[in-house]
Amino acid sequence: MSLEEYKGVAIFAQQVDNKLSSIAFELIGKAHELAADLGTDVTAVVLGSGIADLADKLGEYGADKVVVIDDPALETYRTEPYAQALTAYINEYKPEIMLVGATAIGRDLGPTVSARVKTGLTADCTSLEIGDFPLVAKEGQEQKHNQLLMTRPAFGGNTIATIACPDNRPQMATVRPGVMQKLPKEAGRKAEVINYKPELKENNRYVEILNIVKNATSTVDIMDAKILVSGGRGVGSPENFKLLEDLAEVIGGTVSCSRAVVDSGWKPKDLQVGQTGKTVRPNVYFAIGISGAIQHTAGMEESDIIIAINKDENAPIFEVADYGIVGDLNKIVPALTEALKAELADKQ
Amino acid sequence: MNIVVCIKQVPDTKGGVKFNPDGTLDRASMLAIMNPDDKAGLEAALRIKDETGAKVTVVTMGLPKADDMLREALAMGADEAVLVTDRRLGGADTWATSSTVAAAVKKLDYDLIITGRQAIDGDTAQVGPQIAEHLSLPVISYAEDIKVEGNSVVVKRQYEDRYHEVKAQMPCLITALSELNQPRYMTPGGIFDAYEKEVTVWGRDDLTDLDDANIGLAGSPTKIAKASDKVRKGAGEKVALDPKESVEYIVNKLKEKHVI
């Protein structure tokens, strides 16, 4: 393959139930930066059935082109028809970079497609930039420019590695949701829309969907919250989360939690922050009764302001907190709620 | 029926990660364990064996010391174990690893292949789906429940806000979540037997259906440009005040930062 044939930055615009996932917009935001460095444009690829109206929205959030693959076989996510469709797009349009969200869909589709087109895939990236590989020129080795440098955590967030894919195209990465910034919506901005119809072939690899069960839990997405009031095992009981809910209500925040709380069955998994939960970056993150295992801090340390309340002065959460309060959450949190109520009432 | 379970030996990161002075991972001082998702996959296979009398073969690619982990799998109830080990396979990324493991699995009889969703060292979740790709099999990842029904499997496949119950014809590949089950312990008799059993060891040359272009560091499309211990956000202020003062402190900080 000739690497020069591959041009442009493409993103997989994930939709579920014909609603675009937040990661689609986050990827467009990052793709814009990369495309600016490369002097190229951004294509959003959206797969589904009856999805033509999603193209406008992708345009308003910054996609220059939208490739729509609309096929009844793509109505609900299944690995094989989606892999066929995205592989066909890559082979036909030859993007030099292909970004996919590191979601439960993206982490299935990405590896399958990268193996099918025989290229590398870097998982769960938290930072992407254009640069040289090797980073510093080495004698006897050609230094390649305009490479995608993909940075990702490994070993539970204990190390970070920067990875390149110098000899294969596209350069593929899955990107952790909640890390990249979406662009502000520009109403009326139009993308060039391309309806692409690859032939999807039903084969032995198609699976049959027997049943779809949606979790009937909270409707909020903690990744969109500006203020999170997050509780850990130290909260003590599911009933005691009422203290956090009261605080969240007064300050306009959302309750989230650590893995220990989910494992104890106190809160549903979709409220879990951390490596096996969601990555969040709110303006304010209250870590209440959370000890701060590395798997947790990996999911919240990008928050603008971290306020930790914990009675154990040696809790690792204090190592990432901007403001750490050593004390009893049962006394501090209700008093804080009352104080904030008074403050905010004064303002009105 | 024949079930192949792909497992990996990983450093136990529960107590944190230790580094050598040169910044490389100090694997020697960290315990080596069977990757948790893989162990759940093995348990799922053993439960199918309990019900149907299936034969369970575990396969790993790794260093010779992964023999320990294979014997643990035998002691839990696996019937056979294969260790793929060769210096020429070292430094493999997920593409090269999945190509190699697929070539090993091809030499075995299989109706069902189970892998863990992801390993706790690399966290990529790529090798399972990519083995399926190399073998042209259906893949069902993120499995929370597995049932065998005749020549098919019915799997509860987890997403963020829902699950799909899906059915696939065997042969197929499933990646297991550690939430799938509680793995059984080794039995004393099993431990005794495990050391009597022979672990099959294959080197690169035993894997005939494998191209040199797809193995090891050289056969890996992704290359590491830089690796380092994570630079963590430093600690900020820490105070120990009485509750009333604590509240004043927090309110003042929220005002300073224009949150309220």
Side-chain angles (χ1 to χ4, degrees):
Chain A
M1 99 177 105
S2 161
L3 301 192
E4 289 71 34
E5 286 175 38
Y6 287 77
K7 299 274 182 236
V9 182
I11 68 114
F12 169 68
Q14 178 179 314
Q15 61 79 23
V16 178
D17 298 338
N18 289 12
K19 185 173 172 291
L20 288 161
S21 307
S22 179
I23 183 71
F25 306 116
E26 294 166 20
L27 292 178
I28 293 173
K30 175 48 78 174
H32 250 276
E33 290 173 26
L34 302 173
D37 285 351
L38 293 168
T40 183
D41 57 11
V42 175
T43 302
V45 187
V46 60
L47 280 58
S49 178
I51 47 160
D53 57 330
L54 300 182
D56 284 344
K57 207 163 176 202
L58 292 164
E60 289 183 332
Y61 279 91
D64 301 311
K65 291 178 191 159
V66 178
V67 170
V68 179
I69 308 181
D70 199 320
D71 190 297
L74 303 172
E75 184 179 354
T76 303
Y77 179 76
R78 285 177 297 165
T79 313
E80 182 59 17
Y82 269 69
Q84 284 187 22
L86 193 60
T87 301
Y89 162 76
I90 290 170
N91 290 335
E92 178 77 21
Y93 291 88
K94 297 188 167 41
E96 59 185 311
I97 292 173
M98 179 84 233
L99 306 180
V100 177
T103 60
I105 287 176
R107 282 160 60 93
D108 183 67
L109 181 63
T112 303
V113 170
S114 71
R116 204 165 284 191
V117 301
K118 196 180 184 249
T119 191
L121 174 67
T122 304
D124 272 16
C125 296
T126 51
S127 164
L128 298 170
E129 57 182 358
I130 302 299
D132 299 330
F133 180 82
L135 300 178
V136 182
K138 284 181 193 159
E139 208 169 318
Q141 185 183 352
E142 182 197 356
Q143 188 183 34
K144 298 189 174 184
H145 309 296
N146 287 336
Q147 302 294 304
L148 181 64
L149 301 178
M150 302 167 270
T151 299
R152 65 177 304 259
F155 289 99
N158 286 282
T159 65
I160 51 170
T162 300
I163 291 166
C165 180
D167 305 317
N168 298 68
R169 290 294 180 270
Q171 302 160 94
M172 280 184 74
T174 62
V175 177
R176 190 173 284 194
V179 178
M180 306 300 175
Q181 308 278 13
K182 55 181 96 165
L183 296 169
K185 179 177 171 176
E186 211 178 302
R189 186 183 180 282
K190 291 280 180 205
E192 178 192 342
V193 179
I194 301 158
N195 287 297
Y196 174 50
K197 294 202 179 298
E199 194 188 337
L200 304 180
K201 288 189 184 133
E202 186 155 348
N203 58 15
N204 70 309
R205 307 184 61 183
Y206 272 57
V207 301
E208 183 187 350
I209 297 178
L210 303 176
N211 203 4
I212 296 174
V213 180
K214 295 180 189 173
N215 295 344
T217 51
S218 59
T219 51
V220 293
D221 189 344
I222 57 172
M223 286 167 57
D224 291 333
K226 297 288 173 215
I227 298 179
L228 283 174
V229 179
S230 202
R233 197 194 300 275
V235 173
S237 67
E239 295 72 33
N240 223 18
F241 262 83
K242 180 78 169 59
L243 301 180
L244 278 62
E245 278 148 21
D246 291 345
L247 171 58
E249 194 183 331
V250 167
I251 201 167
T254 301
V255 170
S256 59
C257 65
S258 70
R259 177 171 181 163
V261 167
V262 174
D263 286 349
S264 305
W266 299 354
K267 288 282 169 198
K269 176 139 176 96
D270 57 347
L271 298 186
Q272 184 192 323
V273 172
Q275 199 184 17
T276 55
K278 292 177 177 172
T279 303
V280 298
R281 52 183 308 163
N283 297 341
V284 184
Y285 188 89
F286 287 95
I288 300 175
I290 292 177
S291 65
I294 193 137
Q295 289 81 356
H296 184 78
T297 55
M300 49 65 83
E301 65 188 334
E302 301 291 325
S303 305
D304 294 338
I305 305 168
I306 299 170
I307 301 173
I309 304 172
N310 201 304
K311 65 182 176 193
D312 174 8
E313 62 173 322
N314 297 316
I317 193 73
F318 291 125
E319 289 165 26
V320 296
D322 297 282
Y323 307 111
I325 296 94
V326 182
D328 181 354
L329 68 93
N330 292 297
K331 292 183 178 141
I332 295 171
V333 176
L336 178 62
T337 303
E338 288 309 312
L340 287 172
K341 208 183 273 178
E343 283 287 335
L344 295 168
D346 283 351
K347 280 198 171 180
Q348 284 170 357
Chain B
M1 95 184 248
N2 292 295
I3 308 175
V4 172
V5 185
C6 302
I7 60 180
K8 182 182 185 186
Q9 193 173 44
V10 294
D12 187 1
T13 54
K14 227 183 279 160
V17 174
K18 296 178 182 69
F19 293 92
N20 294 313
D22 67 358
T24 57
L25 203 67
D26 180 7
R27 286 179 189 265
S29 74
M30 294 162 71
L31 276 175
I33 57 168
M34 192 187 307
N35 182 54
D37 284 351
D38 304 353
K39 202 166 187 175
L42 173 58
E43 174 63 30
L46 294 173
R47 288 183 190 187
I48 296 169
K49 176 184 169 177
D50 292 343
E51 274 177 35
T52 67
K55 179 180 154 193
V56 175
T57 304
V58 286
V59 176
T60 195
M61 167 176 152
L63 298 171
K65 71 167 183 159
D67 181 80
D68 296 350
M69 173 192 65
L70 292 173
R71 293 198 188 272
E72 181 187 352
L74 292 170
M76 285 170 69
D79 300 288
E80 286 185 13
V82 176
L83 170 62
V84 179
T85 189
D86 195 310
R87 282 177 189 279
R88 284 173 282 173
L89 303 172
D93 74 352
T94 57
W95 161 268
T97 301
S98 59
S99 302
T100 305
V101 175
V105 172
K106 263 187 203 169
K107 289 170 60 107
L108 302 165
D109 290 326
Y110 58 83
D111 301 291
L112 178 61
I113 301 169
I114 304 179
T115 73
R117 168 194 44 176
Q118 69 190 63
I120 57 170
D121 51 1
D123 285 331
T124 71
Q126 292 176 5
V127 172
Q130 292 188 339
I131 292 171
E133 183 60 33
H134 294 308
L135 298 173
S136 297
L137 297 178
V139 58
I140 306 170
S141 46
Y142 287 67
E144 255 191 355
D145 187 53
I146 303 172
K147 283 191 205 79
V148 172
E149 291 182 359
N151 293 324
S152 305
V153 283
V154 174
V155 179
K156 200 169 148 185
R157 196 278 194 216
Q158 192 201 70
Y159 292 90
E160 283 88 353
D161 64 344
R162 64 192 64 194
Y163 67 83
H164 291 178
E165 196 181 19
V166 302
K167 185 174 185 177
Q169 296 292 317
M170 291 193 276
C172 66
L173 185 145
I174 296 170
T175 82
L177 296 176
S178 56
E179 288 87 347
L180 183 69
N181 53 43
Q182 190 67 44
R184 66 192 64 191
Y185 292 103
M186 299 179 280
T187 62
I191 294 170
F192 187 77
D193 291 345
Y195 281 87
E196 299 284 293
K197 280 188 182 164
E198 191 107 352
V199 167
T200 304
V201 180
W202 286 337
R204 192 264 165 271
D205 295 334
D206 294 303
L207 305 177
T208 42
D209 198 357
L210 182 63
D211 194 325
D212 272 336
N214 297 329
I215 62 165
L217 188 61
S220 297
T222 59
K223 312 280 182 198
I224 295 177
K226 186 175 73 174
S228 54
D229 192 357
K230 182 156 186 180
V231 181
R232 309 203 75 84
K233 181 176 174 175
E237 300 174 22
K238 182 161 76 171
V239 297
L241 303 165
D242 69 34
K244 188 164 172 288
E245 290 168 336
S246 296
V247 169
E248 282 169 12
Y249 172 82
I250 297 172
V251 171
N252 285 334
K253 293 301 178 193
L254 292 174
K255 279 184 184 166
E256 262 176 43
K257 297 288 181 183
H258 305 291
V259 177
I260 56 170

